[in-house]
Amino acid sequence: MDLTAHMDRLVSALDPAGRGDISESVKDAVRAVPRHQFIPDVGLVRDDDGEQCLIDREADPDAWYEAVYSRHAIVTQLDDGRTPLTALKGDYTSSASQPGTVADLLHHLQAEPGMRVLEVGTGTGWTAALLSHLVGNQGEVTSIEVDAAVAEQAAKNLSDAGFHPRLVVGDGALGCADGEPYDRVHVTCGIRAIPYAWVEQCRPGGVIVLPWRPGFGVGHCLRLEVGTDGTAQGRVVDFAEYMWMREQRPASDETPPGERRQYWTALDPRAFDQINAGVDLTVSALTGIVTTTNSGADEDGEWWRMWLSDPDVPRSWAAVTCRPGSMIAVQQVGDRPLWDEVLLAYARWVSWGEPSWRDFGVTVTPEGQQVWLNRPDNVLSNQGA
């Protein structure tokens, strides 16, 4: 196993387009912290074709190392540990994130030597090690993990690799007050409602970087700067897909009881993947709807479905189902016509000139968060804490 070649390939994969978006300090950290020291012997990977496969270090070490030093995320836990990885099915609940996404967030964080950093979501410990390389290895990094088993393995990984962040088992939404004030807060799980505790625990002028999943469509990287007035404010700066923080996971795509109303729609929900992601942020801000997607096959053939739910009213839901050669079916239950609201929000986005995802930002206050377009006083929605 040629570790140097693997590391060079991984660093090259951080910026495949050669845009120069990743700082040299982050690249140096990736070179200095071998990823394989933080990956379990057995993991799940989706290859370039989207196919899920098991990697096993003992059974095929070459394939294992190839996967570890690829651009892919490696799933390390299913169903909060209730399902073994060898089952090859279940909800992904912990992983070693895509190296390119890890590097993107660290680039936006701009962590420097001597800074105090709070990391929310220890996971395998690789990012905590990268942060320790960036800012210092004498306790400058505090990392909090909600899952005790995951935290225990991360502690072993970090110790074996020679890194010594302060590790805490607890609810990351609460932060870690006895380590404040932090210069940086780095979040490694998907967030819909941004906890104000992170703002409270970060010094004025400090930076919070998090994977923001406002509900509809793709996830984004949000960079906030903490002000002297006790608020934090910033813009969407990139894309970032991370697993949900446990307490903010959307409802599953099970169908609660209720009278179903069915009709047909002309807008294919799969088109949202091809449109400027500003439409996703518009729909999220104007409706608060949360979506998931899945696909499969039954006696009528293959299907693809978007599931829409109201996080505050679980009995209101909608399902938009696409089948080859068929009209697109909508089923809705509850008082809110969720798909109708999506269509209206889409129309408003078009009427505004189809703004880009780069035009959106967020302000976090003790009362909650405001989503705005172009400038902070052009508020699209107020979301309570």
Side-chain angles (χ1 to χ4, degrees):
M1 189 272 294
D2 186 344
L3 181 59
T4 300
H6 280 308
M7 295 290 281
D8 288 344
R9 182 161 61 93
L10 182 61
V11 172
S12 297
L14 302 180
D15 184 19
R19 298 178 303 176
D21 289 347
I22 306 300
S23 66
E24 287 303 316
S25 63
V26 171
K27 292 180 181 178
D28 289 344
V30 172
R31 290 189 184 96
V33 185
R35 193 183 186 214
H36 73 269
Q37 294 179 314
F38 298 86
I39 305 299
D41 289 345
V42 177
L44 285 178
V45 175
R46 288 196 179 275
D47 61 22
D48 291 333
D49 296 323
E51 295 296 322
Q52 179 178 264
C53 58
L54 197 69
I55 57 170
D56 187 321
R57 187 175 190 175
E58 182 176 351
D60 191 341
D62 290 339
W64 186 86
Y65 274 104
E66 284 294 318
V68 168
Y69 286 99
S70 74
R71 63 184 181 85
H72 298 297
I74 298 176
V75 176
T76 57
Q77 187 192 69
L78 297 173
D79 298 327
D80 297 333
R82 296 186 300 274
T83 302
L85 293 170
T86 52
L88 297 177
K89 61 180 180 180
D91 291 332
Y92 297 169
T93 51
S94 192
S95 73
S97 302
Q98 289 183 341
T101 304
V102 171
D104 284 342
L105 266 66
L106 290 175
H107 173 79
H108 292 297
L109 191 71
Q110 297 180 315
E112 298 177 357
M115 286 185 172
R116 297 170 60 84
V117 179
L118 172 65
E119 180 191 34
V120 178
T122 310
T124 66
W126 188 50
T127 304
L130 294 171
L131 286 166
S132 296
H133 179 83
L134 287 166
V135 303
N137 195 23
Q138 303 299 320
E140 290 88 344
V141 177
T142 297
S143 184
I144 186 166
E145 170 62 49
V146 70
D147 188 304
V150 171
E152 181 179 7
Q153 183 59 54
K156 183 179 186 306
N157 295 342
L158 286 157
S159 177
D160 290 348
F163 293 95
H164 311 288
R166 179 188 177 205
L167 302 179
V168 178
V169 178
D171 182 355
L174 302 177
C176 187
D178 62 1
E180 63 172 292
Y182 299 101
D183 301 287
R184 298 288 188 268
V185 176
H186 183 268
V187 184
T188 65
C189 50
I191 302 298
R192 182 168 181 265
I194 302 164
Y196 184 69
W198 301 343
V199 180
E200 287 184 303
Q201 295 170 21
C202 196
R203 67 166 174 81
V207 171
I208 303 169
V209 171
L210 64 131
W212 187 42
R213 300 188 64 179
F216 189 92
V218 298
H220 296 81
C221 175
L222 184 62
R223 186 181 190 274
L224 304 172
E225 185 168 333
V226 177
T228 57
D229 60 353
T231 68
Q233 184 172 282
R235 288 183 177 271
V236 173
V237 294
D238 217 322
F239 294 97
E241 289 289 347
Y242 275 74
M243 297 174 188
W244 287 96
M245 173 177 276
R246 289 192 180 182
E247 67 177 34
Q248 295 193 17
R249 288 175 185 164
S252 65
D253 55 355
E254 298 174 355
T255 54
E259 181 182 352
R260 302 189 185 190
R261 305 180 300 280
Q262 182 164 321
Y263 60 98
W264 312 104
T265 182
L267 179 62
D268 188 331
R270 293 169 295 187
F272 285 105
D273 291 337
Q274 310 301 322
I275 301 173
N276 178 338
V279 70
D280 296 340
L281 292 169
T282 300
V283 174
S284 293
L286 297 182
T287 70
I289 291 171
V290 174
T291 61
T292 58
T293 61
N294 58 9
S295 59
D298 54 24
E299 62 275 9
D300 296 321
E302 295 182 351
W303 53 265
W304 183 97
R305 179 173 296 129
M306 175 181 283
W307 170 268
L308 305 93
S309 61
D310 180 340
D312 299 318
V313 186
R315 290 186 177 276
S316 286
W317 59 267
V320 187
T321 304
C322 306
R323 294 180 183 274
S326 299
M327 297 179 67
I328 301 169
V330 180
Q331 292 187 57
Q332 298 201 131
V333 170
D335 295 333
R336 287 190 67 185
L338 300 179
W339 181 245
D340 298 30
E341 291 186 26
V342 169
L343 298 179
L344 288 171
Y346 170 75
R348 290 188 67 182
W349 174 75
V350 172
S351 73
W352 294 339
E354 302 183 2
S356 164
W357 56 270
R358 297 179 183 274
D359 298 322
F360 289 79
V362 175
T363 301
V364 183
T365 72
E367 290 73 37
Q369 63 192 43
Q370 298 174 336
V371 181
W372 41 267
L373 176 61
N374 294 321
R375 60 184 191 277
D377 62 345
N378 186 27
V379 177
L380 302 184
S381 67
N382 284 282
Q383 301 161 359

